[in-house]
Amino acid sequence: MFPQRLDSPQAYDIAKAMMDGFNRHYRLFRTESARAKHRFETADWHGQQRAQRERIEFYDLRVKECTKRLEKEFKAGQQPMDVWHQVKLHYIGLLVDHHQPELAETFFNSVTTKILHRTHFHNNFIFVRPAVSTEYIENEEPAARPTYRAYYPSRESIFETLQSIVENFQLQREFDDLPRDLRYVLGAMQGRLDKVRLRANFQIQVLSSLFFRNKGAYVVGKIINGFNEVPFALPILHNEEGKLTIDAALFGEDDLQMLFSFARAYFMVDMEIPSAYVQFLRSLMPRKPRAEIYNALGLAKQGKTLFYRDFLYHLKHSSDQFRIAPGIKGMVMLVFDLPSFPFVFKLIKDYFPHQKETTREQIKGKYLLVKQHDRVGRMADTLEYSEVAFPRARFSDELIAEIQKFAPSQLEISDRDGDGQQEVIIKHLYIERRMIPLNIYLQESFDTGLSDARARQQMERSVIEYGNAIKDLVAANIFPGDMLWKNFGVTRNGKVVFYDYDEIEYLTDCNFRRVPTPRNEEEEMSGEIWYTVGPRDVFPETFGPFLLGNDAVREVFMKHHADLLGVEFWQSHKERILAGHVYDVFPYDVGRRFSHAHEAQGI
């Protein structure tokens, strides 16, 4: 129970200092997000990439700043526990009229857990559940921009309404031919409206801020007619002449799920009330967890908070045990899962085989690189946690033995609360969306038999997608390193995604070489590598024997992706990236692009 009296003179000051720290964080976060519009208008793609990386670091920097201030001004770590009870109550009071209360609660947790020892983490000290509702928060200032705008066209005025929607964003760059683009959009819409009666509530709702990512800006909204709601997004790009074009029209939940995929970089969006944006986006994608939507908006710490709450809720309402994840075991990461929960848990082993010349810090650096990089729909996002407690009873003995063998430094088993219930505490781990490993997915098609049309189609689609995934990574300046099938996974919609990051490098840091011609018969017949190999030398022609042992797979791969086995492909992309070129990678099928954009440069 909380004490009834708020009698510590420093409790309010500590709470106010923490709120000041959060407000500074969100002000800087929002300012950087708002600047994305200018970077888009001026085609500052490298600036956009740099801002994307730097913004991810904002949160931890502000938490450190606030922690230092509390220690310096209030000796916060030495305050008695009843003062921390009072700090939380004062902080709740400061949240009442706040526009980002859920984010501020997470910030409070981050700062508090930096100061207090984890044995003091009880419900009374941190926000285990939200204390303040985020429902119906509005900015009441007269000049405030609403979360979304509603437009009420007639059938005859839809074109003019679409024009108003786009022009209201006041992009400071000329469109190549906006009326032409809008006719394309209207044509795509008409397929959904032509034979439909427009009801009294017919309207188009559009979020008030554009969504910026990579080289694109996205209008996001929904069409409402009677009981039906159709989500949509309009990507706006620069064409080869540097003018703006609407590139496609995306409709329906599946299209929006792809746009907001966990394997893509975070959006830059200027939001006064992020919870209102999340609520609107959930109406477009009801199957997408709120945690993933917060992540997609760049609010990754809030995403982590909600994910962990969802996880604890799932633990409470399930009874299966954590186990060693099925599939080929990795040499660097120990992976386990809970069969009923759609994620995997990965921890770095304490030691690696001799062929893996790496360290724990280097591996953590690779995962950070992926976090900060443009994932172009081909690298799974990861949630990173420290000191995570699990019920010991939920861990199989086999899994405990596996961790004790390969990662003993990461494991602690204790009765932390003194209640006789043991806990497994993992010192550091990554959590990723569970996918079907590509090697298993391919094997399923072989087990069925390639004489079966569906099995052969599954195999062919997987191999083509695998090559497409590598090419998308190359366009994003990423060399995956270990390209074995087991390091890629298949998502629910059949997309192939890379998820093993311990050997990735920037493409521009690699040296792509041909295998030298043997100088004599002894070298030609040698089973050993007889030529010198530098630490970042890559020989693309050697990929084939490791990847294409199956004749059917080889046939499909060579038909669609034979260029991946040649130095020229890799070297040409490296040179273009070094020259400053930023490739287009589209979060929708290239066939969805409007015809006027088909000649625009993609990959």
Side-chain angles (χ1 to χ4, degrees):
M1 294 292 294
F2 286 102
Q4 297 301 307
R5 297 176 57 207
L6 301 180
D7 52 8
S8 169
Q10 288 195 312
Y12 176 80
D13 293 337
I14 293 172
K16 183 66 168 58
M18 294 173 83
M19 183 60 74
D20 290 344
F22 169 75
N23 289 340
R24 170 172 160 74
H25 159 66
Y26 196 72
R27 184 170 62 251
L28 293 172
F29 176 92
R30 189 177 175 194
T31 298
E32 194 60 78
S33 301
R35 286 175 180 159
K37 181 172 183 285
H38 178 70
R39 290 189 291 267
F40 174 78
E41 292 165 342
T42 58
D44 181 9
W45 310 133
H46 293 291
Q48 203 79 302
Q49 291 175 338
R50 185 171 55 252
Q52 173 72 26
R53 289 193 301 271
E54 292 175 352
R55 192 186 64 166
I56 289 172
E57 299 174 354
F58 280 10
Y59 186 90
D60 288 338
L61 290 173
R62 301 293 87 77
V63 168
K64 287 178 183 176
E65 283 178 5
C66 187
T67 302
K68 286 182 179 178
R69 181 186 172 190
L70 294 183
E71 291 288 10
K72 181 178 179 181
E73 294 186 20
F74 306 102
K75 293 185 171 48
Q78 301 174 31
Q79 295 288 346
M81 289 301 103
D82 63 336
V83 170
W84 280 101
H85 282 293
Q86 297 169 28
V87 169
K88 184 180 176 184
L89 283 177
H90 282 301
Y91 198 83
I92 291 172
L94 296 171
L95 292 173
V96 172
D97 293 317
H98 205 280
H99 288 168
Q100 304 93 32
E102 77 283 23
L103 308 187
E105 289 177 354
T106 292
F107 188 85
F108 179 96
N109 289 354
S110 297
V111 173
T112 302
T113 52
K114 288 284 185 187
I115 293 172
L116 300 182
H117 188 269
R118 65 176 171 82
T119 54
H120 295 141
F121 297 169
H122 300 293
N123 293 5
N124 291 353
F125 296 96
I126 60 175
F127 293 95
V128 176
R129 294 187 301 273
V132 176
S133 171
T134 58
E135 297 292 313
Y136 306 112
I137 299 175
E138 287 294 337
N139 189 344
E140 304 296 344
E141 297 176 14
R145 184 174 60 190
T147 297
Y148 65 88
R149 297 187 178 98
Y151 301 82
Y152 304 94
S154 64
R155 192 179 290 278
E156 294 73 26
S157 67
I158 294 178
F159 181 90
E160 289 75 15
T161 299
L162 290 173
Q163 188 161 355
S164 296
I165 287 170
V166 175
E167 291 177 346
N168 280 344
F169 289 110
Q170 300 180 342
L171 285 165
Q172 301 301 301
R173 196 176 186 104
E174 181 184 1
F175 273 84
D176 183 42
D177 188 340
L178 183 57
R180 174 201 61 198
D181 295 351
L182 294 176
R183 286 193 294 272
Y184 280 115
V185 175
L186 186 58
M189 277 188 178
Q190 293 292 15
R192 298 167 181 272
L193 299 175
D194 264 354
K195 299 177 182 179
V196 176
R197 180 187 296 275
L198 299 189
R199 303 295 179 179
N201 69 335
F202 178 62
Q203 60 188 284
I204 301 175
Q205 295 181 357
V206 179
L207 285 165
S208 296
S209 291
L210 287 167
F211 287 60
F212 296 95
R213 184 174 65 198
N214 304 336
K215 296 167 70 176
Y218 297 83
V219 178
V220 178
K222 58 184 173 182
I223 303 166
I224 299 175
N225 187 42
F227 299 115
N228 296 316
E229 296 188 2
V230 179
F232 73 90
L234 305 178
I236 302 173
L237 304 180
H238 292 232
N239 66 11
E240 288 182 331
E241 288 73 45
K243 294 182 179 180
L244 300 181
T245 62
I246 299 177
D247 193 60
L250 310 179
F251 289 104
E253 182 182 358
D254 287 345
D255 279 0
L256 271 291
Q257 287 267 17
M258 291 288 285
L259 183 62
F260 285 82
S261 166
F262 66 89
R264 294 198 177 275
Y266 306 139
F267 283 105
M268 293 263 187
V269 193
D270 179 18
M271 304 171 290
E272 169 67 19
I273 304 171
S275 59
Y277 273 71
V278 171
Q279 183 174 334
F280 189 97
L281 290 168
R282 279 216 84 192
S283 74
L284 311 183
M285 301 171 285
R287 291 179 298 163
K288 197 164 194 68
R290 284 187 306 145
E292 287 190 16
I293 296 177
Y294 273 103
N295 286 341
L297 296 174
L299 299 166
K301 294 298 181 180
Q302 186 63 22
K304 281 180 62 175
T305 295
L306 291 178
F307 175 88
Y308 195 63
R309 288 173 180 166
D310 289 345
F311 171 63
L312 292 177
Y313 187 80
H314 180 88
L315 276 183
K316 187 175 181 64
H317 294 85
S318 62
S319 58
D320 54 334
Q321 284 198 320
F322 290 97
R323 61 175 184 176
I324 301 167
I328 300 172
K329 294 180 180 179
M331 290 187 282
V332 169
M333 306 295 283
L334 190 156
V335 185
F336 64 93
D337 70 355
L338 188 68
S340 63
F341 193 60
F343 291 82
V344 296
F345 302 78
K346 304 170 69 172
L347 59 153
I348 304 170
K349 293 181 177 180
D350 283 358
Y351 53 89
F352 321 115
H354 65 88
Q355 61 265 44
K356 290 284 187 179
E357 297 180 0
T358 188
T359 66
R360 176 180 299 277
E361 290 309 312
Q362 287 174 332
I363 294 165
K364 290 169 74 173
K366 304 286 188 184
Y367 275 77
L368 179 60
L369 183 158
V370 172
K371 192 77 172 173
Q372 295 177 342
H373 200 76
D374 179 4
R375 294 189 296 283
V376 295
R378 299 298 189 176
M379 291 189 286
D381 193 13
T382 55
L383 299 172
E384 184 178 3
Y385 290 89
S386 299
E387 303 287 349
V388 183
F390 303 88
R392 170 62 181 90
R394 300 295 293 275
F395 270 61
S396 69
D397 291 340
E398 182 187 18
L399 174 55
I400 290 293
E402 186 86 353
I403 300 173
Q404 287 173 333
K405 179 178 179 180
F406 291 106
S409 72
Q410 299 302 298
L411 177 68
E412 179 184 336
I413 300 176
S414 69
D415 179 7
R416 186 169 66 175
D417 294 328
D419 58 2
Q421 301 295 316
Q422 283 193 322
E423 288 183 320
V424 170
I425 297 164
I426 304 294
K427 303 295 182 64
H428 180 263
L429 58 75
Y430 297 98
I431 303 176
E432 287 177 5
R433 171 73 68 172
R434 182 165 57 207
M435 292 172 271
I436 304 172
L438 183 54
N439 61 310
I440 294 176
Y441 193 73
L442 277 172
Q443 189 60 50
E444 288 174 357
S445 63
F446 296 133
D447 291 344
T448 303
L450 295 185
S451 57
D452 181 272
R454 290 182 63 183
R456 183 165 189 89
Q457 184 182 37
Q458 175 173 313
M459 182 277 290
E460 291 180 349
R461 186 174 62 245
S462 302
V463 174
I464 293 169
E465 259 290 283
Y466 166 78
N468 290 338
I470 293 173
K471 289 177 176 178
D472 284 348
L473 292 172
V474 168
N477 193 23
I478 290 292
F479 175 64
D482 190 345
M483 299 198 299
L484 293 176
W485 305 95
K486 69 181 181 68
N487 296 327
F488 292 76
V490 182
T491 66
R492 180 176 57 192
N493 56 22
K495 201 167 182 70
V496 170
V497 173
F498 185 56
Y499 54 58
D500 192 322
Y501 305 142
D502 57 272
E503 290 191 17
I504 65 169
E505 300 283 356
Y506 287 119
L507 187 80
T508 47
D509 288 341
C510 296
N511 181 29
F512 296 98
R513 295 175 54 191
R514 289 182 179 84
V515 175
T517 303
R519 293 168 297 186
N520 52 52
E521 186 177 353
E522 184 179 302
E523 289 182 346
E524 186 173 2
M525 300 302 292
S526 173
E528 302 295 327
I529 295 176
W530 47 266
Y531 46 88
T532 58
V533 179
R536 289 185 175 171
D537 284 353
V538 179
F539 299 87
E541 64 197 279
T542 66
F543 297 163
F546 293 99
L547 303 176
L548 307 177
N550 180 283
D551 290 341
V553 167
R554 182 179 182 83
E555 179 185 350
V556 177
F557 184 91
M558 295 304 291
K559 179 179 178 181
H560 296 275
H561 299 301
D563 50 350
L564 289 174
L565 303 183
V567 170
E568 295 80 6
F569 169 85
W570 301 88
Q571 190 61 32
S572 63
H573 280 74
K574 174 181 174 178
E575 289 170 359
R576 292 196 74 186
I577 293 169
L578 286 171
H581 182 76
V582 177
Y583 284 91
D584 291 300
V585 181
F586 305 103
Y588 42 91
D589 191 278
V590 174
R592 302 287 296 277
R593 305 183 68 199
F594 294 145
S595 59
H596 71 266
H598 284 169
E599 294 179 2
Q601 188 170 13
I603 59 169

